Amino acid sequence: MKQLRAALFDLDGVVFNTEPQYTAFWGAQCRLYHPEYPGLEHEIKGSTLQQIYDRWWTGPLAKERDVVTRRLDEFEAQMQFNYIEGFTDFIADLRAHDVRTAVVTSSNVPKMQSVYRQRPEFRQLFDAILTSEDFAESKPSPDCYLRGAARFGLAAEDCIVFEDSFNGLRSGRAAGMFVVGLATTNERSSIEPLSDYQLDNYIGIDYSKLNALWQAI
């Protein structure tokens, strides 16, 4: 029987309930710089900051990147990093069953420093933390999740991905991993085609149930 060996988690909208805060921040920036694209803040979810700049802050707007970065740093320093309901119990149960755990996030190291200051216990929840600096290609490329598996010396089929954004879900799928979609950022119906199972939060899910779902694939 195959063995579930690792769980790879995106960060925002998967570990922390931060997506509403980011929607507010990027909504303000997009309305200021791109009023011609209403709803752009939803389209860029799951992208790295560099991806956002390369696509949307080019030409005359390139000079505004430092301003936006400064605003983002100040915003993230004041953010509230509240765990998705049931997350800490769920990840403790996974680790009790010898499942390796990793964060695989498009966030960068400065953002993670804000997380560590507010949540000093955070690093003890995971065996590895991979940030945008660790990847050659960003989501929806599978590179980040394949590197997450490689960090543990595992194959893709040994791992489960937890994601909320469309780019992240596509990344997990492209990596050939079982994908659990969190309906924290997008409607359940919209993430269903990109995921093998969907959750609103981690209440009611544990290692035994997850392993049974994974074994059935």
Side-chain angles (χ1 to χ4, degrees):
M1 181 179 293
K2 63 181 183 177
Q3 181 67 39
L4 173 59
R5 305 286 299 280
L8 310 178
F9 296 85
D10 180 42
L11 186 68
D12 296 295
V14 174
V15 175
F16 293 126
N17 185 27
T18 46
E19 282 301 334
Q21 297 174 75
Y22 276 117
T23 297
F25 174 82
W26 283 110
Q29 303 309 306
C30 291
R31 286 189 296 275
L32 179 61
Y33 293 105
H34 284 291
E36 74 279 16
Y37 290 107
L40 179 59
E41 65 271 22
H42 301 291
E43 183 176 338
I44 64 178
K45 286 183 184 295
S47 302
T48 65
L49 184 59
Q50 191 59 52
Q51 283 179 312
I52 294 170
Y53 284 163
D54 287 346
R55 176 76 185 279
W56 298 104
W57 268 261
T58 59
L61 289 182
K63 68 181 186 300
E64 298 296 318
R65 292 182 181 187
D66 288 345
V67 176
V68 176
T69 299
R70 185 172 65 253
R71 290 172 183 160
L72 179 60
D73 289 343
E74 293 171 354
F75 179 81
E76 288 179 336
Q78 302 298 320
M79 282 180 68
Q80 295 299 306
F81 295 103
N82 297 317
Y83 292 109
I84 298 291
E85 194 174 11
F87 175 77
T88 54
D89 288 340
F90 174 63
I91 201 166
D93 189 48
L94 291 182
R95 301 189 79 187
H97 287 88
D98 297 320
V99 176
R100 307 296 296 277
T101 59
V103 166
V104 180
T105 177
S106 298
S107 298
N108 57 22
V109 168
K111 153 71 175 292
M112 297 310 298
Q113 295 302 321
S114 296
V115 172
Y116 303 149
R117 283 193 296 271
Q118 187 174 141
R119 292 291 185 182
E121 79 287 353
F122 180 82
R123 280 183 274 203
Q124 279 64 58
L125 299 177
F126 301 94
D127 298 297
I129 297 174
L130 286 76
T131 63
S132 61
E133 291 85 355
D134 295 308
F135 313 136
E137 300 175 2
S138 301
K139 303 170 186 179
S141 165
D143 178 64
C144 58
Y145 283 115
L146 293 175
R147 288 178 185 244
R151 181 69 63 92
F152 300 136
L154 298 175
E157 56 264 30
D158 298 321
C159 305
I160 287 182
V161 165
F162 291 81
E163 267 287 359
D164 65 314
S165 72
F166 296 130
N167 279 340
L169 293 165
R170 293 187 180 102
S171 176
R173 271 284 169 83
M177 299 178 183
F178 184 95
V179 178
V180 176
L182 273 291
T184 53
T185 303
N186 299 291
E187 294 291 334
R188 182 183 283 253
S189 59
S190 66
I191 66 172
E192 189 171 359
L194 298 173
S195 53
D196 298 292
Y197 190 72
Q198 301 80 42
L199 297 172
D200 294 321
N201 54 47
Y202 298 98
I203 300 297
I205 188 77
D206 58 14
Y207 168 80
S208 296
K209 183 174 181 179
L210 180 66
N211 192 50
L213 292 166
W214 182 74
Q215 294 284 353
I217 295 297

